[in-house]
Amino acid sequence: MRALDRLVTGAGPFGIVACADCRYGATVPQLSESELERHYSDQYYEDFYEHSGQDAEGLLHRLRQRFRERAAKRRYERRPYRTSAEQPGRVLDVGCGSGQLLASYASRGWETYGIDPSAAATAAAARRGATVHQGTLADQPWAPGSFDLITFQHTLEHILDPLDALARAARLLAPGGLLIVDVPNWDCWQRRLFGNRWFHLDLPRHQQHFSPRALRKASDRLGLQVRGAGTTSTAISSSYSLHYLIAGHWTPGWKLWLSYGLGILALPAVLLVDRVIGGDCCFIAMGRGPTPHKRE
């Protein structure tokens, strides 16, 4: 598959080569960190993650902001982030963004930590009460065994060496700790339907493209035990894929709002198909040693 950077620069096309066995894809060429920098912008962070924390202006923008907040809250109350018989401890979110996930854990009594290379992201997460480090796992300040739970929420697909990142994170787990990875599902029906206009491709920022099978193989390579795995649905992603079909690239204005409307109309059918054959995102929960927390 080949696709443009439809969100920020319009550059490309970039390619994806995929393994037919484990259904893992890699973006080609693999760009260096310095080459990738120009494909991240204030627009990228604010349009999708709203790091500034400012209230949206205008009725439609406020409705979108409220929808995103409610969707995030519902997502964090479900697999893979919610635990049953939960005993709060210390949680680290790798690529913490604006800190929404950490705020959800804090409300349940967890001590929250975040790491992100973006200054805007770490500032936003700090405003939500997290202890944050601006940087990566390669320069993180914490001792081995520091965390009971480590999460990669739509982060691993951005990382140039995902196995190295997971190995570094695993060393930070306390005995019996849990490592959760949540990523777009390269093997889903929406990717096949929308092709190179599938929103979750997000080339070239997404350097890796995972399937449930690929995540299990990564767990095997790391010597970690699978504690849970599955797929989930992202309510708004089909709207963005429809937007790329209509406009070809990210285009604020009436075409974007039309895409939202069409996405809302299609959402019941999308969720039904997701339930039957799998959603547009996939997750895995991995650990080493005894399980301290029962997963829902």
Side-chain angles (χ1 to χ4, degrees):
M1 181 178 291
R2 296 175 68 80
L4 301 171
D5 177 358
R6 300 187 186 278
L7 179 60
V8 178
T9 67
F14 300 92
I16 299 173
V17 293
C19 172
D21 176 36
C22 66
R23 301 181 183 91
Y24 156 79
T27 298
V28 290
Q30 289 274 290
L31 302 182
S32 67
E33 290 184 10
S34 60
E35 290 171 326
L36 279 170
E37 282 182 2
R38 77 183 189 93
H39 296 280
Y40 292 87
S41 68
D42 292 341
Q43 174 188 336
Y44 173 78
Y45 289 113
E46 189 58 29
D47 281 350
F48 289 97
Y49 303 108
E50 296 171 342
H51 287 172
S52 68
Q54 297 177 351
D55 291 334
E57 297 182 359
L59 176 61
L60 291 176
H61 287 87
R62 288 197 298 272
L63 288 173
R64 182 180 69 176
Q65 187 178 60
R66 183 171 298 180
F67 176 85
R68 286 176 170 175
E69 290 171 352
R70 290 185 176 181
K73 183 177 180 179
R74 287 171 59 86
R75 184 165 64 250
Y76 299 151
E77 291 295 322
R78 298 177 177 179
R79 297 189 309 165
Y81 301 109
R82 184 66 176 180
T83 65
S84 59
E86 187 174 275
Q87 181 180 350
R90 290 160 56 100
V91 56
L92 170 67
D93 188 20
V94 180
C96 62
S98 62
Q100 280 186 307
L101 176 58
L102 290 174
S104 174
Y105 278 115
S107 70
R108 305 201 298 272
W110 287 78
E111 186 179 343
T112 56
Y113 296 79
I115 183 170
D116 200 292
S118 164
T122 52
R127 287 195 296 270
R128 285 189 160 103
T131 300
V132 294
H133 169 70
Q134 184 185 345
T136 69
L137 286 169
D139 59 17
Q140 59 81 24
W142 300 291
S146 292
F147 299 100
D148 305 288
L149 175 63
I150 298 176
T151 57
F152 286 76
Q153 180 196 204
H154 287 257
T155 300
L156 196 64
E157 63 269 30
H158 292 262
I159 295 177
L160 295 175
D161 190 340
L163 283 177
D164 175 73
L166 290 174
R168 290 176 183 271
R171 289 194 287 271
L172 291 174
L173 281 177
L178 201 62
L179 175 61
I180 294 173
V181 177
D182 184 14
V183 290
N185 180 9
W186 166 259
D187 204 29
C188 74
W189 68 271
Q190 287 193 49
R191 194 268 299 173
R192 294 184 175 88
L193 175 65
F194 290 110
N196 65 14
R197 309 223 173 186
W198 184 46
F199 166 70
H200 279 307
L201 287 181
D202 200 19
L203 301 181
R205 286 163 295 278
H206 288 187
Q207 290 282 285
Q208 326 295 336
H209 308 270
F210 296 95
S211 68
R213 181 174 173 82
L215 290 178
R216 287 183 176 272
K217 281 186 169 285
S219 179
D220 291 342
R221 289 278 298 273
L222 293 164
L224 299 175
Q225 300 168 2
V226 177
R227 301 275 171 72
T231 69
T232 59
S233 301
T234 306
I236 205 168
S237 64
S238 56
S239 293
Y240 290 140
S241 296
L242 286 168
H243 180 59
Y244 285 163
L245 281 178
I246 294 169
H249 56 89
W250 183 260
T251 307
W254 71 267
K255 291 182 180 179
L256 179 59
W257 296 110
L258 173 62
S259 305
Y260 286 140
L262 293 174
I264 290 171
L265 292 175
L267 185 58
V270 169
L271 294 179
L272 177 61
V273 178
D274 281 359
R275 182 178 292 272
V276 174
I277 61 177
D280 61 315
C281 296
C282 55
F283 70 86
I284 192 167
M286 304 174 283
R288 185 184 289 119
T291 307
H293 302 141
K294 179 183 177 183
R295 307 299 298 182
E296 285 187 343

